[in-house]
Amino acid sequence: MQWHPNPNERRAYASLKWSTFPDAELPLWVADMDCAPPPCVRDTINRSLEHGIFGYGKEPKGFREAWVDHLHKTHQWTIDPDWIVPVAGVVPGMRFALMAHPQIQQILTPTPAYPYFKTVPSIEKRIEHPMALTRVGETLQPSLTQIAETLETLTEPSAILWCNPHNPGGTVYSKQFLEALIATASKHDTLIVSDEIWADMILNDKPHIPLGLVASNDQPTITLMAATKTFNVAGFGCAVAIIPEPDTRARYLETQIAMPHVAPLAYAVTQSCLRDGWQWHRELLAALQHNRNTVIDWAKSHPELEVTTGDATFLAWIESHNQMDLSERFAAQGVRLSPGGPFGSDTAVRLNFGTNPATLTEALRRMDAALLSNREEHS
Ligand SMILES: Cc1ncc(COP(=O)(O)O)c(C=O)c1O
């Protein structure tokens, strides 16, 4: 695994991350990384190019088995291949979960969270109940008591949108925590939709525990997974919804009619990564640990900030203790981070450290300058 030495070149390829802001600015925002994916991806695309015909596709043989094997081997979750519904992305997969349940009007969503956790309930016209995550030790966590209390007050059917590992903040939930969450949801017949796109991006020595492994198979749960973060192939939209309970799965399958399906190349890329990408991925995790440590060291010289990297993801969540608009300050010095507002916190930003160490160091240097100018203004 090698970082791209000059990710600026991504601007020529309509990259959302690099082509959105002016050339002089360093974009450490949207969650893809500045590196080529495992070599198997190039081989898969080359084979398809050599064949040269790009008609309608169908789910390839071995796709489900690749997921079944991966989940069994890596996460000790034994699933039935029939539980899998392929979808063109985790975010559409979350929306299908709500479309499949029009009777569920009350939605509990973590805050702060990846912005689509708010956009999806809002666009589906549901009523949102925030589950606040606060800092407990080194991670952000919601309160199980608050979740139970919220569910107690609801008289209509409800769902919890869950994110594990959590974006932002990288919380990896323990089996005990998930058991308590599942028990509370079960008591209120609450559907749980668990976004586990970051499952294979854990940087510390903690296991990922799939929600569906802990829940009973007759409880309504929808676990969403993808290989797109793990192998840096977000441009090939492909994800799976894993739904053990048959009625929940039947409702979900109905939402798939007249929807865009997974493209043949996206299926093939995901399948090849799950089969042949793991050596590359081990090297990636080591490179990300190095960058994460750079961010942690940088944070030590900034007591005015609270920086959470948690146990997973390549994203650091940076909050200001003194209500500074960090996003604007850093942008003024030529560093574009994800503003915290859409995540649910106006005074925070999210930094993507999935880039080469030189780019990261230069961005942190510019952020130092932004914080210094703020100190000078207030001294
Ligand atoms: C928690 C979470 N869910 C979903 C997504 C996007 O998923 P997809 O591209 O498969 O729709 C992201 C991307 O950053 C994410 O962080």
Side-chain angles (χ1 to χ4, degrees):
M1 194 312 277
Q2 278 188 336
W3 294 117
H4 196 289
N6 184 15
N8 222 352
E9 287 177 9
R10 295 188 63 191
R11 294 185 202 270
Y13 298 89
S15 146
L16 177 61
K17 186 178 179 188
W18 283 87
S19 312
T20 300
F21 298 109
D23 283 10
E25 298 189 358
L26 292 178
L28 272 58
W29 64 299
V30 66
D32 70 27
M33 296 177 281
D34 297 325
C35 60
C40 59
V41 171
R42 192 181 282 254
D43 297 343
T44 300
I45 296 169
N46 280 343
R47 261 199 308 281
S48 181
L49 266 181
E50 274 163 25
H51 169 62
I53 300 177
F54 301 101
Y56 288 119
K58 60 183 281 199
E59 182 191 319
K61 277 203 193 80
F63 178 77
R64 274 163 207 254
E65 289 67 26
W67 276 104
V68 170
D69 288 351
H70 165 56
L71 293 174
H72 180 73
K73 215 174 347 173
T74 312
H75 303 300
Q76 289 74 53
W77 187 20
T78 306
I79 64 162
D80 183 327
D82 288 346
W83 296 353
I84 293 178
V85 182
V87 285
V90 165
V91 169
M94 192 190 296
R95 187 161 182 196
F96 296 140
L98 295 197
M99 288 167 63
H101 295 89
Q103 80 283 15
I104 296 182
Q105 288 297 311
Q106 313 293 330
I107 314 287
L108 276 67
T109 60
T111 306
Y114 177 61
Y116 282 107
F117 278 75
K118 296 183 189 317
T119 314
V120 169
S122 153
I123 203 103
E124 284 295 320
K125 311 249 182 310
R126 311 300 164 94
I127 299 157
E128 202 196 311
H129 303 270
M131 298 181 280
L133 273 73
T134 54
R135 182 118 163 177
V136 179
E138 295 297 310
T139 54
L140 301 177
Q141 295 212 359
S143 149
L144 283 164
T145 314
Q146 192 230 317
I147 295 171
E149 283 170 2
T150 305
L151 288 176
E152 286 296 337
T153 63
L154 301 177
T155 49
E156 293 179 327
S158 56
I160 294 175
L161 297 187
W162 192 246
C163 188
N164 180 27
H166 192 77
N167 167 15
T171 311
V172 173
Y173 291 99
S174 67
K175 182 158 185 264
Q176 208 181 11
F177 196 103
L178 293 173
E179 278 168 350
L181 177 81
I182 288 164
T184 307
S186 169
K187 185 171 161 205
H188 297 278
D189 286 329
T190 300
L191 168 74
I192 310 179
V193 182
S194 185
D195 174 341
E196 301 186 9
I197 197 170
W198 293 98
D200 292 302
M201 296 301 275
I202 298 186
L203 304 184
N204 289 338
D205 189 17
K206 285 224 173 138
H208 171 71
I209 300 178
L211 183 109
L213 167 64
V214 185
S216 98
N217 292 341
D218 54 13
Q219 184 166 352
T221 64
I222 299 173
T223 300
L224 297 162
M225 292 194 165
T228 46
K229 297 284 169 219
T230 319
F231 299 103
N232 203 31
V233 286
F236 289 108
C238 179
V240 286
I242 304 168
I243 313 174
E245 199 281 312
D247 288 345
T248 311
R249 191 166 62 247
R251 284 167 175 275
Y252 196 89
L253 277 165
E254 272 178 27
T255 66
Q256 294 304 290
I257 297 163
M259 285 294 171
H261 291 149
V262 179
L265 209 44
Y267 267 127
V269 161
T270 287
Q271 191 169 331
S272 75
C273 286
L274 289 176
R275 205 179 43 219
D276 298 324
W278 295 106
Q279 174 57 33
W280 175 94
H281 184 254
R282 272 187 286 280
E283 293 164 20
L284 169 74
L285 290 186
L288 288 176
Q289 282 159 353
H290 175 274
N291 284 0
R292 189 263 322 262
N293 294 345
T294 302
V295 174
I296 291 175
D297 284 345
W298 174 84
K300 287 180 188 147
S301 54
H302 292 291
E304 70 275 46
L305 304 177
E306 184 170 78
V307 179
T308 308
T309 51
D311 292 310
T313 79
F314 45 80
L315 309 165
W317 181 244
I318 306 177
E319 290 178 271
S320 160
H321 282 314
N322 51 16
Q323 305 296 303
M324 216 187 312
D325 186 335
L326 291 174
S327 177
E328 229 171 66
R329 292 242 152 219
F330 293 147
Q333 291 291 331
V335 180
R336 292 288 179 170
L337 307 184
S338 303
F343 291 75
S345 173
D346 286 336
T347 55
V349 281
R350 196 194 67 178
L351 178 147
N352 170 350
F353 54 78
T355 189
N356 67 52
T359 302
L360 178 61
T361 303
E362 171 57 14
L364 294 174
R365 190 194 64 72
R366 294 184 191 184
M367 289 160 64
D368 277 335
L371 294 167
L372 185 66
S373 74
N374 183 65
R375 259 183 238 149
E376 283 167 357
E377 273 168 35
H378 291 91
S379 62

